Amino acid sequence: MRTPIIAGNWKMNNTIADTKALITDLIPLVKDAKAEVVICTPYTDLATAVEMTKGTNIKVGAENVHWAEKGAFTGEISANMLVELGVTYVIIGHSERRQYFGETDQTVNARVKAALAKGLKPIICVGETLEEREGGKVEEVLVRQTTEALKDIAKEELGNIVVAYEPVWAIGTGKTATAEVANDTIKIIRDTIAKLYCPACAEEKVRIQYGGSMNPKNVKELMSMPEIDGGLIGGASLKAADFSLVVNY
Ligand code: PEP
């Protein structure tokens, strides 16, 4: 019912030369994928990535977007600028942005609105820290992050939104949430969307990925869970062989 979506998050990796080599290797390896395939790259690689993936099944995303249309925001990039490049997706609210760059639930919501207004598809990241999990706050944190991210977003937009559940303690650490924990936690997010909109909206429209050390070894088990609609992949998206194994789980 919900098409799986596997997205790479390159973070601050890959020059244009690296991008050319990686995408050249990746195209033939993922051409028959059942899942939707996305690579989210640094701004400087986007034009190359879009050009190289034209006519393929790979879509390109950015890793952030500013909420304003234009103006005095030195160093920022607007949704219009991404659309003009041919970008389809944009990661919003990644835990690294929340942790290192002052991203809040409110700025996440502002970015989501700006992206949707210009036709970009947001991949909204939510997830608890280890302290929050150990303190029994998983549900509270995820309900708050999900509710705030979707504030004032119309029901009609839900089909354009992907949520990535990324437990902060599992990102880049090699620790993966067990498939059961990931599934149960994603259910909390889906139930929240059902309450905010409607059960069918949550069931049919919104795809929810798992992210956090997903790799060729654990992808099959994670993707076998009913609530997990895909993955947001960091480290394992930087090598064509690894990423293609995840994509072709
Ligand atoms: C991420 O940064 O979105 C991520 C999931 O990273 P990794 O796969 O390296 O844990």
Side-chain angles (χ1 to χ4, degrees):
M1 194 167 52
R2 301 183 297 260
T3 308
I5 174 168
I6 305 284
N9 172 15
W10 288 5
K11 311 193 185 194
M12 196 173 73
N13 292 294
N14 292 335
T15 61
I16 290 176
D18 298 331
T19 299
K20 285 181 180 164
L22 178 45
I23 294 178
T24 301
D25 290 346
L26 192 61
I27 289 172
L29 295 175
V30 300
K31 68 178 182 8
D32 300 318
K34 295 185 297 306
E36 192 175 345
V37 186
V38 183
I39 49 172
C40 298
T41 84
Y43 291 134
T44 47
D45 297 328
L46 287 171
T48 307
V50 168
E51 189 55 37
M52 290 187 73
T53 55
K54 271 191 190 139
T56 76
N57 61 331
I58 303 174
K59 293 183 185 122
V60 175
E63 297 176 15
N64 193 17
V65 62
H66 198 264
W67 54 83
E69 288 229 5
K70 58 159 113 171
F73 300 101
T74 303
E76 294 296 322
I77 302 283
S78 74
N80 265 341
M81 293 168 180
L82 297 176
V83 170
E84 189 184 39
L85 277 179
V87 167
T88 308
Y89 283 92
V90 59
I91 298 172
I92 295 177
H94 191 279
S95 63
E96 287 152 16
R97 305 268 351 146
R98 294 181 193 253
Q99 192 178 345
Y100 306 131
F101 300 100
E103 191 80 74
T104 65
D105 292 335
Q106 288 67 42
T107 56
V108 167
N109 177 244
R111 292 182 207 277
V112 171
K113 284 192 216 158
L116 288 170
K118 300 298 174 191
L120 288 172
K121 299 181 179 190
I123 299 175
I124 304 171
C125 299
V126 297
E128 80 287 357
T129 61
L130 186 58
E131 201 182 2
E132 288 162 343
R133 178 160 284 273
E134 288 176 348
K137 296 215 164 96
V138 174
E139 180 158 359
E140 180 189 320
V141 168
L142 290 177
V143 169
R144 190 200 74 228
Q145 289 181 345
T146 307
T147 305
E148 290 297 323
L150 296 176
K151 198 161 171 231
D152 302 325
I153 305 293
K155 192 198 270 189
E156 293 67 37
E157 293 284 15
L158 289 179
N160 295 320
I161 290 173
V162 175
V163 177
Y165 166 57
E166 298 209 310
V168 179
W169 47 271
I171 297 177
T173 59
K175 287 185 197 153
T176 322
T178 63
E180 287 73 22
V181 166
N183 191 70
D184 292 351
T185 316
I186 286 177
K187 182 82 168 69
I188 296 173
I189 298 168
R190 204 177 297 286
D191 288 346
T192 305
I193 296 170
K195 279 193 199 124
L196 289 172
Y197 295 91
C198 70
C201 310
E203 271 303 307
E204 292 162 20
K205 303 273 186 219
V206 183
R207 290 177 294 174
I208 308 183
Q209 300 170 312
Y210 167 75
S213 302
M214 204 191 234
N215 60 44
K217 289 205 183 98
N218 58 29
V219 62
K220 225 182 176 61
E221 194 190 356
L222 287 159
M223 289 304 293
S224 71
M225 303 309 283
E227 294 294 341
I228 302 181
D229 301 324
L232 185 56
I233 320 297
S237 72
L238 296 175
K239 292 206 174 99
D242 287 347
F243 189 55
S244 67
L245 286 171
V246 176
V247 164
N248 296 317
Y249 64 93

